[in-house]
Amino acid sequence: MMKGLKKWRLFSLLAVMTVFLSACGEEYITTLKPAGAVGKEQFNLLLFSISIMALVVVVVSVLYLYAFAKFRRSKQGEDHMPKQVEGSHTLEVIWTVIPIILLLILTVPTLITTYKFADVKAMEEVDEEGNKTALTVNVTAKLYWWEFEYPEQGIVTAQELVVPTGEKVYFNLKAADVKHSFWIPSVGGKMDTNVENVNKFYLQFDEESADLKDGVFYGKCAELCGPSHALMDFKVKTLSREDFDNWVAAMQATEGQTANADSADLGEATFANSCLGCHAISGVGASGAMGPNLATFADRNRVAGVLEHSKESIEKWVTDPETYKPGNLMTGKYGELSEEEISAVADYIMTLSVED
């Protein structure tokens, strides 16, 4: 008896914790604290849907409890036979029409919102000089990292998306290898990135990320894409329009920046000889590199998207990337480097910054 009671107490505690903890989450990654116009509308639609479902649960529960109380055997007697309603056309119409009405109530705002978020015509609008008026970012998902190209600005970065606040940002989404899914939980819903076609949508970022716990919003891959799917993170830094323009100018100023194989600095020379074939250190150029662009490496929040941003993490990653992201394409590429060279490379790439 006591053992069964303890089980029920534990079950009740877990149920209560589920209800309350399901709403917990950090502002930089939870869908329950939206930080953009798209996320807020989707959140309101979620609340509306939950309200409809809760109403159904309440009505059904009340009817059940009413029938349970009124027609219990102790009250009606052992020989009482309730009225038989099998084949009642009235009841069949009622419990067919009511669900249809509820589905229509859910369908109309869902369809309106879906088509609204799919409207990307403004992506092609231009001013009198022929320049596009909206900011567009080409997102390419790769195993297991993200590339962000700003075609109108002529710049490319990786792993950390930088956008202005208070305006719509349009995205062209594609994948370089397998299907992935682009998702910034605090800002808006997810969208698949496919190899065979480009998906388009927009998001709006209403809050600057500087005041958040880590100074960034967190982005995720939301499509099972391989053994390191759960580690395919990216970060989003949101700035005022003025600060964003300054960042773009700083990125454009890195044009032609490269590493010298004959440098007296061991880190730069090693990088030029062993890393430059895959990793550019200029933020100006086209997309499609084998590895992430490192022009802003020192400004980033994480190493490889998930490790602490430190020299030690870089050394661990270069020495054995497979341990930290199984299946990544960098595994086995740098086995010939000595510990001294790896340490020097870590020092070098920690100097690559456009914000200082």
Side-chain angles (χ1 to χ4, degrees):
M1 178 69 178
M2 289 300 295
K3 187 176 180 181
L5 184 60
K6 287 181 179 179
K7 287 183 177 180
W8 277 107
R9 286 178 178 174
L10 178 60
F11 176 79
S12 302
L13 178 61
L14 291 175
V16 171
M17 289 178 65
T18 300
V19 171
F20 286 98
L21 295 181
S22 62
C24 293
E26 297 289 352
E27 185 178 4
Y28 58 82
I29 198 171
T30 178
T31 59
L32 303 182
K33 296 179 181 178
V38 173
K40 290 174 182 176
E41 288 197 47
Q42 291 174 336
F43 181 67
N44 290 336
L45 189 60
L46 174 66
L47 291 180
F48 178 69
S49 302
I50 291 175
S51 299
I52 296 296
M53 291 184 286
L55 176 63
V56 172
V57 171
V58 169
V59 171
V60 172
S61 298
V62 168
L63 291 175
Y64 170 79
L65 293 174
Y66 171 77
F68 184 81
K70 182 175 181 179
F71 298 104
R72 62 187 184 275
R73 191 174 298 275
S74 61
K75 183 177 180 180
Q76 298 293 333
E78 293 292 334
D79 299 326
H80 175 74
M81 177 64 69
K83 179 182 178 181
Q84 301 302 294
V85 295
E86 180 182 0
S88 171
H89 294 301
T90 301
L91 288 177
E92 289 180 355
V93 169
I94 290 174
W95 58 53
T96 300
V97 170
I98 290 179
I100 292 175
I101 293 174
L102 293 177
L103 286 175
L104 288 175
I105 293 173
L106 287 169
T107 299
V108 172
T110 300
L111 285 176
I112 291 174
T113 304
T114 299
Y115 279 98
K116 177 182 177 180
F117 293 154
D119 183 6
V120 293
K121 292 191 296 292
M123 183 187 292
E124 304 301 329
E125 293 180 359
V126 297
D127 58 21
E128 296 178 353
E129 298 177 353
N131 299 317
K132 289 189 176 181
T133 57
L135 176 64
T136 300
V137 181
N138 296 333
V139 178
T140 304
K142 304 184 180 184
L143 292 172
Y144 293 95
W145 59 281
W146 300 83
E147 183 178 73
F148 306 111
E149 178 190 15
Y150 302 72
E152 301 305 310
Q153 290 73 27
I155 59 177
V156 177
T157 188
Q159 293 297 81
E160 191 166 284
L161 174 66
V162 181
V163 293
T165 58
E167 59 187 80
K168 292 180 179 179
V169 180
Y170 292 85
F171 295 93
N172 291 313
L173 305 173
K174 61 181 180 179
D177 32 57
V178 300
K179 183 187 289 291
H180 301 279
S181 189
F182 180 80
W183 187 29
I184 309 172
S186 296
V187 182
K190 63 193 75 171
M191 177 73 76
D192 279 352
T193 64
N194 303 317
V195 177
E196 65 277 3
N197 69 287
V198 176
N199 284 333
K200 302 181 179 184
F201 80 144
Y202 71 86
L203 295 172
Q204 185 168 321
F205 304 79
D206 291 344
E207 300 177 16
E208 292 188 32
S209 60
D211 295 330
L212 297 176
K213 178 182 176 182
D214 292 331
V216 291
F217 291 102
Y218 275 45
K220 306 287 292 183
C221 175
E223 184 76 38
L224 183 59
C225 55
S228 289
H229 156 67
L231 303 173
M232 192 171 166
D233 290 18
F234 64 95
K235 311 300 181 290
V236 186
K237 187 174 293 182
T238 58
L239 308 172
S240 66
R241 169 45 82 165
E242 180 182 0
D243 288 340
F244 175 75
D245 289 340
N246 291 336
W247 177 81
V248 170
M251 287 287 286
Q252 292 170 338
T254 66
E255 184 173 8
Q257 180 173 288
T258 188
N260 183 0
D262 298 322
S263 173
D265 180 84
L266 178 62
E268 182 178 358
T270 303
F271 184 91
N273 288 315
S274 301
C275 311
L276 198 56
C278 295
H279 299 280
I281 60 173
S282 169
V284 177
S287 62
M290 289 290 294
N293 188 294
L294 302 181
T296 63
F297 188 88
D299 306 323
R300 292 183 190 167
N301 177 272
R302 292 286 189 274
V303 172
V306 292
L307 300 177
E308 179 185 353
H309 195 262
S310 67
K311 177 184 176 180
E312 291 73 22
S313 294
I314 300 172
E315 292 173 341
K316 291 177 181 178
W317 170 255
V318 176
T319 300
D320 186 14
E322 188 68 17
T323 296
Y324 303 99
K325 275 191 176 181
N328 79 89
L329 300 183
M330 188 171 163
T331 295
K333 297 292 193 299
Y334 298 97
E336 75 282 359
L337 296 182
S338 67
E339 291 184 7
E340 182 184 9
E341 289 172 326
I342 292 175
S343 178
V345 166
D347 285 328
Y348 173 69
I349 63 177
M350 284 294 279
T351 67
L352 300 176
S353 169
V354 301
E355 295 184 7
D356 296 334

